[in-house]
Amino acid sequence: MSDAYPEADAREGCSHPRETFDLLGHEKAEALFHAARANGRVHHAWMITGPSGVGKATLAYRMARALLGGRSLLEGGLDIPANDPVAQRIASQGHGNLRVLRREYDFKTKKVPAEIKVDQARQFVRFFQETPSEQDARRVGIIDKVDDMNASSANAILKIIEEPPERGVVIILADAPGRLLPTIRSRCVNIDLRPVADAQLRPWLAARTELGEPFDKVLWLSRGSPGRAMAYANALDSVVASLSRVADIMASSASRGNDVVLAGKFSGAKVVEERELFWSGAQDLLASAARASGGEVWDAPFARPDTSRDWQSVWAEAIAREKIEADINMDARTSLLDMLGRVRAA
């Protein structure tokens, strides 16, 4: 994260993807891209899909370094070291033939906006239409991420997707590709990143944290995403502890307590990321409880729920409630309090 201002594509506790030089898992995805390069058939538009924090941006920057002339430590691979001149220029955001489209910090409002603005998208398109900063070299654009674009900004980038720029490559990141315009999806080579196996994620997380007892909870909540794992690791006292309390409620082993206080912890404007983590983790617990009620093994390192209760409907209601909250800007405290009440009443 920049010392001067927050970056929308950075996660607390993790190096920014442009400064990250190793990728956990996804060997097949890299092999797909390498095969295209080896055959001299690098498509003009690539779409990297997968859960948030799974490594999409890290892969995109590895691809960009290779496309812009970085030299790999391995024959034909993407393991370009940090001391490579191309890698250094990208890390310092000083490479003239790379453009990144993302939500940019607004110095007037002192906030990162919720969407990528249409003017930004148009500037991104012009980058490919103007004379390249460096001759006889590819131009690479990364869109991080297309989920943050509204209809106008998404339509603005159609031109470079439909009319491939000369020696230009666009790498699009998407958490939920099903929401995208079909005209964008159909013109991209898709690389789908699957969750990282626990066998790989466990030692990676252990080497970067000292979590103690909550380690297995963080690993389970990560759902195979290194980025999510670090987000939960940085929110032990707030989010993970609160999810443990929700699990106790589901197991009928928690006292009535003060649900108002619990809901209030995730209701302010300064805890948006923690709120998203709490909602997501609570829904994961409810989904697992529903499966356990249907006879599956309870494998979460949280209190085992009372499987005689109707967790399927509670899980469905939690999903719907979060969507309604976002659609109508419902009061955050009330929404979470209602959800906790429904958990108790199941």
Side-chain angles (χ1 to χ4, degrees):
M1 182 175 292
S2 170
D3 293 333
Y5 56 88
E7 297 182 273
D9 51 350
R11 283 183 177 269
E12 183 180 354
C14 297
S15 298
H16 191 281
R18 64 173 174 266
E19 300 168 340
T20 302
F21 297 91
D22 60 331
L23 179 65
L24 184 64
H26 313 312
E27 293 83 3
K28 291 183 179 179
E30 290 208 348
L32 173 66
F33 178 71
H34 170 58
R37 288 181 63 216
N39 293 329
R41 296 178 180 176
V42 177
H43 195 66
H44 75 282
W46 296 75
M47 180 173 293
I48 306 176
T49 59
S52 176
V54 79
K56 297 187 297 295
T58 298
L59 175 57
Y61 277 97
R62 285 168 70 86
M63 292 166 62
R65 294 183 197 110
L67 289 169
L68 293 172
R71 295 192 176 186
S72 175
L73 293 172
L74 303 174
E75 181 66 28
L78 303 183
D79 291 295
I80 297 164
N83 62 1
D84 179 271
V86 170
Q88 290 179 331
R89 292 174 61 195
I90 290 175
S92 66
Q93 303 183 72
H95 200 296
N97 277 21
L98 174 66
R99 180 64 56 89
V100 180
L101 178 59
R102 59 178 180 168
R103 292 181 291 133
E104 296 286 356
Y105 181 76
D106 188 323
F107 287 94
K108 291 183 179 179
T109 63
K110 301 191 183 305
K111 295 180 181 178
V112 176
E115 295 181 327
I116 293 173
K117 299 176 181 178
V118 66
D119 288 346
Q120 292 178 258
R122 289 169 179 159
Q123 291 172 7
F124 184 79
V125 172
R126 284 197 291 273
F127 164 73
F128 288 98
Q129 296 171 334
E130 296 169 350
T131 302
S133 175
E134 300 178 25
Q135 297 296 328
D136 300 322
R138 280 195 176 97
R139 279 173 289 182
V140 178
I142 297 174
I143 300 177
D144 187 5
K145 54 191 175 176
V146 75
D147 307 74
D148 295 335
M149 304 181 82
N150 57 32
S152 297
S153 52
N155 276 308
I157 68 165
L158 271 177
K159 185 175 182 61
I160 55 170
I161 304 299
E162 294 178 327
E163 302 175 17
E166 185 177 358
R167 292 184 62 75
V169 177
V170 181
I171 304 171
I172 302 172
L173 312 185
D175 291 346
R179 301 175 188 170
L180 305 181
L181 294 170
T183 45
I184 293 179
R185 294 201 311 269
S186 64
R187 287 168 170 79
C188 297
V189 174
N190 182 238
I191 299 178
D192 186 30
L193 301 189
R194 311 307 298 170
V196 178
D198 279 0
Q200 289 181 293
L201 186 53
R202 180 178 289 275
W204 181 91
L205 182 61
R208 289 163 174 77
T209 61
E210 295 180 0
L211 298 177
E213 182 273 333
F215 182 93
D216 285 340
K217 292 179 179 179
V218 169
L219 184 66
W220 186 85
L221 288 166
S222 74
R223 295 192 313 215
S225 164
R228 280 174 59 89
M230 292 305 299
Y232 279 111
N234 288 315
L236 289 181
D237 294 337
S238 56
V239 179
V240 179
S242 297
L243 289 171
S244 295
R245 176 166 177 76
V246 172
D248 289 341
I249 294 172
M250 294 167 61
S252 302
S253 61
S255 61
R256 184 72 186 177
N258 193 341
D259 289 351
V260 174
V261 175
L262 180 57
K265 288 173 64 175
F266 306 107
S267 302
K270 296 182 179 180
V271 291
V272 172
E273 182 176 349
E274 289 86 347
R275 179 180 179 75
E276 291 176 354
L277 290 171
F278 179 78
W279 260 120
S280 179
Q283 290 166 2
D284 285 345
L285 286 171
L286 290 169
S288 292
R291 291 192 292 270
S293 295
E296 293 189 22
V297 175
W298 173 256
D299 63 352
F302 291 87
R304 181 183 175 84
D306 179 351
T307 54
S308 67
R309 295 157 72 183
D310 183 12
W311 297 119
Q312 176 70 33
S313 63
V314 181
W315 170 72
E317 287 180 31
I319 298 290
R321 184 171 295 280
E322 185 184 22
K323 184 178 186 305
I324 291 171
E325 175 191 302
D327 289 345
I328 66 174
N329 198 26
M330 184 177 179
D331 178 71
R333 185 191 300 264
T334 300
S335 180
L336 281 178
L337 194 58
D338 287 349
M339 189 270 286
L340 292 169
R342 183 67 181 88
V343 168
R344 287 189 181 277

